Amino acid sequence: MGFLVYPGCEILDVCGPHDAFVYADTWLTRFGRTSEPCYQCVVIAAAPGLVRTKCGIEIAPTHTFEAVGDELDTLVVAGGCMNVEEACEDPTLVEWVRSMAPRTRRVASICTGAFILAAAGLLNHRRVTTHWMFSELLATTFPLVHVDSSLLFYRDGNIYSSGGITAGIDLALALLEEDLGQAITLAVARTMVVFPRRPGGQSQFSAYVEYNKVGPKRPDIDELMAWILGHPGEDLSVAALADRMAMSPRNFARLFRSAAGQTPARFVDRARADAARCKLEQTALPVTTIAEECGFGDAERMRRAFQRLFDVSPHNYRSRFRLPTLM
């Protein structure tokens, strides 16, 4: 398990996923699974010496490019936000990644590490994700790459990519589950005090996150939106919500759009879809029951919402992201 670092990389892109694999080794021992191969994590840089990360903390690599042989199973490329463009222009680094990829079982990027994979030609005609702030730049810089900024992480063949910073931990847990199964993954998640699968679904965005990207907030609208997220099955029509706020429907719709940057109907639709995704992932309830409980009314209406918002049907979403214990 090799972690590629370079000047200006994000330290959490390295340490978060790195620790997940280290803890996995600890839990393999505690579970008595000592006959199984463990992870040997190495940190790789172009040359010997300390590598200064973006926050100023320095990392001591264990290997240089020349010292890495053909035994590397997984290559993880850290992101670097503003500094990743400089890394992409380093021909030695890019060429090493390009030559190393075919010799590994899988390659993964954390956050803007996707730019380095793209510069190496590894992402052409593949669907990938990266931090939402840099998704447009990735798509325009590398037009052959299909960028989907809404995802926490994604796998296209043996290429894995993840969204911003902490999404690297989500990706690491997914890799652990592939390799070692759910028991070890859950133990690691508990150790790191993170969700094994985020309750918000497999997206960098949720209805509430989208709201918090907008400008000045109104406490009353903020409180209402939190209530909507917790009660997706209620009557959430403009008239009902306006009544709850003691406003006229017209005035309520205007104030909501001004505060949230979207109409009440759009927010409600996304809130219900987020609630439905949680149930699809974490329960064995029929799709029709989930549609009713989440306020869609029927499965066809939920299917149309999923297709519009996530470009996937509820059934296909469940097949991709359902917890293994429910399969």
Side-chain angles (χ1 to χ4, degrees):
M1 180 72 62
F3 291 82
L4 175 62
V5 299
Y6 48 87
C9 66
E10 292 283 350
I11 193 167
L12 192 56
D13 287 3
V14 182
C15 296
H18 185 286
D19 273 3
F21 294 105
V22 171
Y23 285 127
D25 286 345
T26 300
W27 282 106
L28 279 172
T29 301
R30 292 192 179 186
F31 285 1
R33 294 167 56 175
T34 54
S35 62
E36 298 182 40
C38 62
Y39 295 104
Q40 296 180 8
C41 296
V42 299
V43 180
I44 307 165
L50 297 176
V51 174
R52 189 176 181 84
T53 64
K54 184 175 182 294
C55 70
I57 297 175
E58 296 180 325
I59 294 177
T62 59
H63 290 66
T64 62
F65 290 169
E66 291 76 13
V68 179
D70 293 332
E71 304 302 318
L72 195 63
D73 174 83
T74 302
L75 174 63
V76 180
V77 179
C81 289
M82 304 304 178
N83 300 86
V84 77
E85 291 180 281
E86 296 178 14
C88 289
E89 295 171 358
D90 181 342
T92 302
L93 184 148
V94 172
E95 180 53 39
W96 183 82
V97 171
R98 182 185 293 115
S99 64
M100 198 68 207
R103 296 147 59 189
T104 63
R105 177 166 64 98
R106 59 193 177 192
V107 178
S109 63
I110 311 298
C111 194
T112 53
F115 281 79
I116 296 174
L117 299 191
L122 302 178
L123 303 186
N124 291 347
H125 309 296
R126 292 184 185 269
R127 185 185 184 198
V128 302
T129 192
T130 189
H131 193 292
W132 60 268
M133 288 177 61
F134 300 93
S135 60
E136 185 175 349
L137 179 61
L138 180 63
T140 54
T141 306
F142 301 99
L144 296 181
V145 179
H146 306 305
V147 182
D148 186 342
S149 64
S150 71
L151 302 170
L152 281 176
F153 58 85
Y154 192 73
R155 172 186 181 182
D156 189 327
N158 70 332
I159 302 291
Y160 299 71
S161 55
S162 65
I165 306 177
T166 58
I169 298 175
D170 293 282
L171 174 56
L173 292 173
L175 295 176
L176 285 177
E177 190 165 337
E178 280 189 10
D179 295 344
L180 303 175
Q182 189 183 39
I184 295 293
T185 305
L186 290 175
V188 171
R190 291 191 187 104
T191 303
M192 300 182 75
V193 198
V194 296
F195 288 107
R197 292 188 183 223
R198 296 198 205 191
Q202 306 297 321
S203 176
Q204 293 189 51
F205 307 118
S206 68
Y208 196 65
V209 170
E210 287 289 295
Y211 161 63
N212 276 298
K213 290 161 54 181
V214 183
K217 307 295 183 292
R218 286 181 56 105
D220 53 348
I221 297 294
D222 191 30
E223 183 178 346
L224 176 67
M225 297 173 93
W227 181 84
I228 291 171
L229 292 171
H231 301 82
E234 299 284 337
D235 179 359
L236 302 179
S237 63
V238 169
L241 294 174
D243 185 62
R244 185 177 181 84
M245 297 289 288
M247 298 179 182
S248 69
R250 182 177 180 180
N251 189 43
F252 164 72
R254 179 180 61 81
L255 289 176
F256 189 99
R257 182 159 191 165
S258 176
Q262 57 187 301
T263 65
R266 181 180 174 185
F267 180 84
V268 166
D269 208 28
R270 186 57 188 262
R272 283 173 166 161
D274 284 343
R277 289 195 301 173
C278 289
K279 291 179 181 290
L280 289 168
E281 293 175 20
Q282 301 173 16
T283 77
L285 292 172
V287 171
T288 53
T289 301
I290 293 174
E292 293 171 3
E293 291 184 354
C294 293
F296 286 104
D298 58 65
E300 175 56 25
R301 186 178 171 193
M302 187 169 88
R303 186 196 67 77
R304 290 198 301 269
F306 265 63
Q307 206 66 49
R308 181 175 66 257
L309 293 170
F310 313 127
D311 196 28
V312 67
S313 71
H315 288 285
N316 286 340
Y317 183 89
R318 169 170 269 175
S319 68
R320 294 181 190 180
F321 300 119
R322 193 176 186 180
L323 288 173
T325 53
L326 298 175
M327 293 180 176

